[in-house]
């Protein structure tokens, strides 16, 4: 059943979890702005959605740049209407053990995940509070609990949990919810890059990961998208400030 034609922005929507989420929200009946660094890449996801009968546009912006974020959110409001759903999904990894981690590794990861979610949420909440309805979902990670080689990423993903809880407290009275989805191992270019970094064939890497996952398989981008569909839905208005692990087993 199609939901009201609200407008959603999915950052990092060119591929992986973001692309699956953009497709899922469009299938839910939302008009979707697919935002990514390169407009042409974002447009490819948007074109696939349009070809399937959905409504989507591609927008190029760097979520860590305040001016680009402001311009992108204005553009979405102008072309599709007020964005009242935001999925903070854009992400990068710069893995390194602490003694090898550079300031640039640290700043890049903080910039995209934390500063990006802050800038996007600040820009979008103007529309959400004006409409008296909004949904913000930010991508955390099971790495928030600590992961070797990911001091930067782990700190950013844990930070997003605190950010989410605070948004839930501040924005609840405007009809806006904020939640975090924390995936475990999901099969995307990001986990493929991790396998390459540690010098393991991706198929072997996935097999090894599956053995430690209670449901005995790696996650798929669609598993995460389905959870985001619920959290951005019409019936989830009393679920706010939560961190939902999508990891094929229990984590807390
Ligand atoms: P992915 O395949 O690497 O896709 C990430 C997307 O974000 C790419 O299209 C990338 O663009 C875009 N992006 C990067 N920096 C950006 C910026 N500054 N502004 C706008 N877009 C930017 O990653 P994924 O695996 O789908 O992960 C999506 C999210 O889930 C991330 O936040 C990630 O940390 C989180 N997550 C993933 C997993 C997993 O197992 N895959 C697990 C837990 C959490 P370019 O291609 O141009 O760089």
């Amino acid at each position: 059943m199609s939901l009201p034609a609200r407008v959603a922005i999915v950052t990092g929507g060119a591929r992986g979890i973001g692309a699956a989420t953009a497709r899922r929200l469009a299938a839910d009946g939302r008009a979707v702005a697919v935002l990514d660094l390169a407009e042409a890449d974002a447009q490819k996801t948007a074109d696939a959605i349009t070809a399937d009968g959905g409504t989507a546009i591609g927008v190029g912006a760097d979520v860590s740049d305040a001016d680009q974020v402001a311009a992108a959110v204005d553009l979405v409001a102008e072309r599709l209407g007020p964005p009242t759903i935001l999925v903070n999904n854009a992400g990068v990894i710069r893995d390194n053990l602490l003694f090898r981690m550079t300031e640039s590794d640290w700043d890049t990861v903080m910039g995209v995940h934390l500063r990006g979610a802050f800038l996007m949420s600040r820009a979008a909440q103007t529309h959400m509070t004006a409409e008296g309805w909004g949904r913000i979902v930010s991508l955390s990670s099971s790495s928030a609990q600590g992961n070797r080689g990911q001091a930067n990423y782990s700190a950013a993903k844990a930070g997003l949990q605190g950010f989410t809880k605070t948004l839930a407290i501040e924005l609840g009275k405007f009809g806006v919810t904020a939640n975090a989805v924390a995936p475990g191992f999901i099969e995307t270019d990001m986990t493929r890059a991790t396998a390459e970094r540690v010098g393991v064939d991706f198929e072997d890497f996935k097999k090894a990961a599956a053995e430690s996952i209670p449901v005995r398989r790696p996650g798929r981008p669609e598993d995460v998208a389905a959870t985001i569909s619920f959290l951005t839905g019409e019936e989830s208005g009393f679920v706010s400030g939560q961190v939902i692990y999508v990891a094929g087993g229990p984590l807390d």
Side-chain angles (χ1 to χ4, degrees), residues 12 15-17 36 61-63 89 140 153 157 183-184 186 188 190-191:
R15 54 199 174 95
I17 294 169
D36 213 292
D62 178 346
V63 295
N89 166 83
S140 178
Y153 184 79
K157 291 309 200 186
I186 310 293
T188 68
M190 189 176 272
T191 39

Side-chain angles (χ1 to χ4, degrees), residues 50-104:
T50 310
D52 281 347
T55 303
I57 59 170
V59 179
D62 178 346
V63 295
S64 67
D65 181 301
D67 291 340
Q68 290 187 36
V69 164
V73 172
D74 284 351
L75 179 82
V76 173
E78 198 183 295
R79 289 189 54 192
L80 295 177
T84 53
I85 297 171
L86 170 65
V87 182
N88 287 313
N89 166 83
V92 289
I93 45 173
R94 295 288 184 275
D95 295 355
N96 247 327
L97 292 175
L98 182 62
F99 75 101
R100 273 202 292 260
M101 188 169 284
T102 65
E103 288 160 48
S104 161

